[in-house]
């Protein structure tokens, strides 16, 4: 079974032309054509924290549905994190992953049922502080360790980590693997690999890359990062 995962910081749908355009974000997602997408900065930061990507837009302009968290009525996710999955994918459960924070950061988890298999996905947006990022990744890994139903897992998002091998991402110890497919920030002239995908040992990597298109360069200050992953037959 092969699945495509993507992570995308949409910068509250404000592009490099300084225009807020949620339809453009969804057009980029349609270009990517992933099965499961982790989004960051999908809600406004102040006030009622309304989503900048309305559910009606997702339903009308994409093949996805949002994983419901039922926390804030005007938000799509938690601290700006949201998960989109193809409508054919069944949801077993979803939860907020509590993180130690100073600034508003967060992580969310969804357990999905695909072709009879349970898949676990975490979307995250980590702190600007290296020490805080380490604490947050430990909290995510501790959360995963306490989950029922051990299953293949993918953790992805904007890690705010410039290093490739050192730094906070070293918290992902073997058998975890961290993919850094390429530079994704800033979108116009990317120099940093801020957006990462971490895999549990069950996955085989078919392909991993940064999605770089004319539309993606305009839609957000980050480029999407994606990976095509395969699970062995059981």
């Amino acid at each position: 079974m092969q699945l495509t995962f993507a992570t995308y910081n949409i910068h509250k749908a404000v592009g490099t032309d300084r225009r807020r355009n949620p339809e453009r974000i969804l057009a980029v997602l349609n270009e990517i054509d992933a099965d499961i997408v982790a989004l960051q900065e999908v809600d406004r930061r102040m006030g009622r924290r309304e989503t900048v990507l309305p559910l009606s837009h997702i339903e009308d302009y994409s093949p996805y549905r949002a994983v419901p968290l039922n926390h804030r009525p005007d938000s799509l996710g938690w601290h700006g994190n949201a998960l989109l999955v193809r409508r054919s994918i069944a949801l077993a459960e979803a939860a907020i992953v509590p993180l130690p924070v100073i600034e508003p950061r967060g992580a969310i988890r969804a357990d999905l049922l695909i072709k009879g298999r349970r898949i676990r996905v975490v979307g995250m947006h980590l702190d600007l502080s290296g020490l805080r990022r380490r604490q947050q990744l430990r909290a995510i890994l501790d959360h995963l360790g306490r989950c029922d139903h051990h299953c293949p897992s993918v953790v992805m998002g904007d890690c705010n980590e410039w290093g490739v091998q050192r730094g906070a991402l070293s918290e992902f110890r073997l058998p975890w693997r961290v993919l850094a497919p390429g530079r994704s920030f800033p979108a116009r002239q990317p120099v940093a690999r801020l957006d990462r995908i971490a895999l549990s040992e069950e996955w085989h990597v078919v392909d991993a890359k940064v999605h770089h298109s004319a539309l993606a360069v305009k839609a957000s200050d980050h480029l999407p990062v994606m990976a095509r992953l395969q699970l062995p037959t059981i």
Side-chain angles (χ1 to χ4, degrees):
M1 179 172 66
Q2 290 192 8
L3 295 167
T4 300
F5 295 79
T7 177
Y8 190 16
N9 184 327
I10 68 170
H11 195 228
K12 302 177 180 65
V14 176
T16 52
D17 57 1
R18 300 184 181 180
R19 293 174 52 239
R20 192 185 308 278
N21 188 331
E23 289 86 358
R24 185 166 55 185
I25 294 295
L26 290 169
V28 173
L29 294 180
N30 286 331
E31 287 183 345
I32 296 170
D33 195 31
D35 298 295
I36 301 158
V37 184
L39 299 177
Q40 302 86 48
E41 295 193 30
V42 75
D43 299 328
R44 296 177 189 265
R45 197 165 180 173
M46 307 299 290
R48 301 202 316 259
R49 300 186 180 178
E50 305 102 313
T51 179
V52 298
L53 206 59
L55 282 172
S56 60
H57 286 55
I58 297 171
E59 292 169 356
D60 292 343
Y61 301 111
S62 84
Y64 300 109
R65 61 187 177 97
V67 170
L69 294 170
N70 301 320
H71 187 73
R72 293 191 179 96
D74 299 314
S75 301
L76 188 65
W78 168 249
H79 283 317
N81 292 274
L83 288 169
L84 303 182
V85 299
R86 288 196 182 275
R87 294 171 195 168
S88 59
I89 295 176
L91 175 65
E93 62 180 72
I96 292 167
V97 182
L99 296 185
V101 296
I102 296 177
E103 56 182 321
R105 302 290 185 187
I108 56 177
R109 170 181 62 86
D111 283 18
L112 308 171
L113 300 175
I114 306 172
K115 296 183 180 179
R117 299 198 68 172
R118 194 179 188 104
I119 306 297
R120 183 162 291 141
V121 183
V122 172
M124 62 184 179
H125 191 181
L126 301 184
D127 204 277
L128 295 174
S129 160
L131 175 60
R132 189 66 65 178
R133 287 196 297 275
R134 281 188 178 274
Q135 294 170 340
Q136 291 170 344
L137 285 174
R138 288 170 188 164
I140 291 169
L141 291 169
D142 286 346
H143 174 87
L144 292 176
R146 294 193 302 271
C147 286
D148 296 331
H149 311 289
H150 175 79
C151 59
S153 300
V154 175
V155 179
M156 55 185 174
D158 180 355
C159 296
N160 276 313
E161 183 68 61
W162 288 64
V164 177
Q165 295 181 329
R166 297 184 178 181
L169 293 172
S170 61
E171 294 297 324
F172 285 108
R173 297 179 176 87
L174 291 174
W176 284 92
R177 290 167 292 159
V178 179
L179 306 181
R183 297 176 176 88
S184 57
F185 178 85
R188 282 182 172 169
Q189 291 184 315
V191 297
R193 295 174 170 87
L194 300 187
D195 305 281
R196 309 291 181 89
I197 300 175
L199 319 172
S200 62
E201 60 184 327
E202 297 90 346
W203 297 99
H204 169 70
V205 181
V206 178
D207 187 28
K209 62 184 179 181
V210 177
H211 178 75
H212 196 292
S213 69
L215 188 60
V217 168
K218 293 181 180 179
S220 171
D221 61 346
H222 284 245
L223 296 172
V225 168
M226 55 194 298
R228 184 75 172 167
L229 307 178
Q230 181 172 308
L231 283 175
T233 303
I234 57 174

